[in-house]
Amino acid sequence: MKALLVFYSKLLGESQLIQKASEKVQLLKKLIGPDSIYAVITTEMKDLIDIFPDLVFVRNDKGTFFYGLYKGLRKLRGNEVLVIDPFEDISPEKIKEFISKKRTNIAHFINGHWKGIAKLRLIDLDYFIRSIEISLFKNEKEDFLNLMEKVKQEYGIEYEAC
């Protein structure tokens, strides 16, 4: 399993971004190992390379969450991927719960809004990548719940919402 932290342009002005991201990185290092953590960053976030030298970085040229997710998932093809929004408040227990889930795609939603963590199975990853490509090409609304539903409708791939 690989962890993918998706940084995007809207996070640039957030004062607690480094603190929240550091907490997640430290926990992920303990749970899945330091060599399994990837981060997608925008050009303006190059200072994160010095702050988190252990991470593997992928460039997010467009600065949006979905484009960063797309680039990261393409890089991690061939792996099960734990997707994390580094600014969302996610408890360590929730991260542990998602890591321990087997044989299912799972995403954390509250009132129809994605709450910053999802786990995508290796066998289904190409379908998620393809669906994001189509959404980016059509300039569709970027929404994680819509992505999960689209993959379910188009390909019959189920997911668990918690």
Side-chain angles (χ1 to χ4, degrees):
M1 173 186 297
K2 304 290 184 186
L4 179 65
L5 298 164
V6 182
F7 291 85
Y8 46 98
S9 294
K10 289 183 182 178
L11 299 179
L12 283 169
E14 299 295 343
S15 61
Q16 295 182 346
L17 176 62
I18 302 302
Q19 176 190 352
K20 288 183 176 186
S22 293
E23 292 168 2
K24 289 174 185 69
V25 168
Q26 292 307 316
L27 181 61
L28 290 168
K29 281 182 180 180
K30 291 176 189 173
L31 296 174
I32 63 172
D35 296 335
S36 297
I37 307 171
Y38 290 68
V40 180
I41 60 171
T42 66
T43 305
E44 300 85 14
M45 296 178 172
K46 287 182 182 175
D47 58 325
L48 293 177
I49 296 171
D50 294 329
I51 296 169
F52 302 111
D54 296 342
L55 304 186
V56 178
F57 291 91
V58 179
R59 202 164 103 190
N60 179 352
D61 298 322
K62 295 189 179 181
T64 65
F65 173 81
F66 257 67
Y67 188 76
L69 177 63
Y70 168 70
K71 292 283 291 216
L73 292 180
R74 283 190 50 123
K75 177 75 174 174
L76 296 175
R77 253 189 179 131
N79 295 282
E80 190 169 59
V81 180
L82 181 70
V83 178
I84 297 178
D85 181 327
F87 192 69
E88 282 286 334
D89 291 323
I90 306 166
S91 71
E93 292 76 27
K94 185 61 78 175
I95 293 173
K96 290 175 187 175
E97 174 190 339
F98 272 62
I99 289 172
S100 68
K101 286 281 187 175
K102 303 292 181 204
R103 298 188 199 111
T104 185
N105 295 305
I106 184 170
H108 185 45
F109 295 106
I110 296 178
N111 298 327
H113 297 290
W114 186 58
K115 295 317 247 175
I117 187 167
K119 184 175 172 186
L120 306 177
R121 297 182 330 156
L122 162 63
I123 196 166
D124 301 328
L125 200 58
D126 282 335
Y127 298 104
F128 284 99
I129 293 168
R130 188 173 308 136
S131 295
I132 295 170
E133 281 177 346
I134 293 167
S135 293
L136 290 171
F137 180 73
K138 292 181 177 180
N139 291 321
E140 293 178 346
K141 180 183 173 196
E142 297 179 356
D143 180 75
F144 208 86
L145 179 58
N146 288 347
L147 171 64
M148 299 300 279
E149 283 297 318
K150 185 176 187 177
V151 171
K152 181 179 177 181
Q153 291 170 1
E154 298 276 326
Y155 305 107
I157 296 171
E158 295 291 329
Y159 70 95
E160 182 181 326
C162 68

CSV table of all heavy atoms in Angstrom, one decimal, residues 131 149-156:
chain,number,residue,atom,x,y,z
A,131,SER,N,-11.7,7.5,-15.1
A,131,SER,CA,-12.9,8.3,-14.8
A,131,SER,C,-12.4,9.7,-14.5
A,131,SER,O,-13.1,10.7,-14.9
A,131,SER,CB,-13.7,7.8,-13.6
A,131,SER,OG,-14.2,6.5,-13.9
A,149,GLU,N,-19.2,7.6,-7.3
A,149,GLU,CA,-20.5,7.2,-7.9
A,149,GLU,C,-20.4,6.9,-9.4
A,149,GLU,O,-21.0,6.0,-10.0
A,149,GLU,CB,-21.6,8.3,-7.7
A,149,GLU,CG,-22.2,8.3,-6.3
A,149,GLU,CD,-22.9,7.0,-6.0
A,149,GLU,OE1,-23.7,6.5,-6.8
A,149,GLU,OE2,-22.7,6.5,-4.9
A,150,LYS,N,-19.6,7.8,-10.1
A,150,LYS,CA,-19.3,7.6,-11.5
A,150,LYS,C,-18.7,6.2,-11.8
A,150,LYS,O,-19.1,5.5,-12.7
A,150,LYS,CB,-18.5,8.7,-12.0
A,150,LYS,CG,-18.3,8.7,-13.5
A,150,LYS,CD,-17.4,9.9,-14.0
A,150,LYS,CE,-17.4,10.0,-15.4
A,150,LYS,NZ,-16.7,11.2,-15.9
A,151,VAL,N,-17.7,5.9,-11.0
A,151,VAL,CA,-17.0,4.6,-11.2
A,151,VAL,C,-18.0,3.4,-10.9
A,151,VAL,O,-18.0,2.4,-11.6
A,151,VAL,CB,-15.7,4.5,-10.3
A,151,VAL,CG1,-15.1,3.1,-10.2
A,151,VAL,CG2,-14.7,5.5,-10.7
A,152,LYS,N,-18.8,3.6,-9.9
A,152,LYS,CA,-19.8,2.6,-9.6
A,152,LYS,C,-20.8,2.4,-10.7
A,152,LYS,O,-21.1,1.3,-11.1
A,152,LYS,CB,-20.6,3.0,-8.3
A,152,LYS,CG,-21.6,2.0,-7.9
A,152,LYS,CD,-22.3,2.5,-6.6
A,152,LYS,CE,-23.4,1.5,-6.2
A,152,LYS,NZ,-24.1,2.0,-4.9
A,153,GLN,N,-21.3,3.5,-11.3
A,153,GLN,CA,-22.3,3.4,-12.4
A,153,GLN,C,-21.7,2.9,-13.7
A,153,GLN,O,-22.2,2.1,-14.3
A,153,GLN,CB,-22.9,4.8,-12.6
A,153,GLN,CG,-23.8,5.3,-11.5
A,153,GLN,CD,-24.2,6.7,-11.6
A,153,GLN,OE1,-23.9,7.4,-12.5
A,153,GLN,NE2,-25.0,7.2,-10.6
A,154,GLU,N,-20.5,3.5,-14.0
A,154,GLU,CA,-19.9,3.1,-15.3
A,154,GLU,C,-19.3,1.7,-15.3
A,154,GLU,O,-19.4,1.0,-16.3
A,154,GLU,CB,-18.7,4.1,-15.6
A,154,GLU,CG,-19.2,5.5,-15.8
A,154,GLU,CD,-19.7,5.8,-17.1
A,154,GLU,OE1,-19.1,5.3,-18.1
A,154,GLU,OE2,-20.6,6.7,-17.2
A,155,TYR,N,-18.7,1.3,-14.2
A,155,TYR,CA,-18.0,0.0,-14.2
A,155,TYR,C,-18.5,-1.0,-13.2
A,155,TYR,O,-17.9,-2.1,-13.1
A,155,TYR,CB,-16.5,0.3,-13.9
A,155,TYR,CG,-15.9,1.3,-14.9
A,155,TYR,CD1,-15.6,2.6,-14.5
A,155,TYR,CD2,-15.7,0.9,-16.2
A,155,TYR,CE1,-15.0,3.5,-15.4
A,155,TYR,CE2,-15.1,1.9,-17.1
A,155,TYR,CZ,-14.8,3.1,-16.7
A,155,TYR,OH,-14.3,4.0,-17.6
A,156,GLY,N,-19.5,-0.6,-12.4
A,156,GLY,CA,-20.0,-1.6,-11.4
A,156,GLY,C,-19.1,-1.8,-10.2
A,156,GLY,O,-19.2,-2.8,-9.6
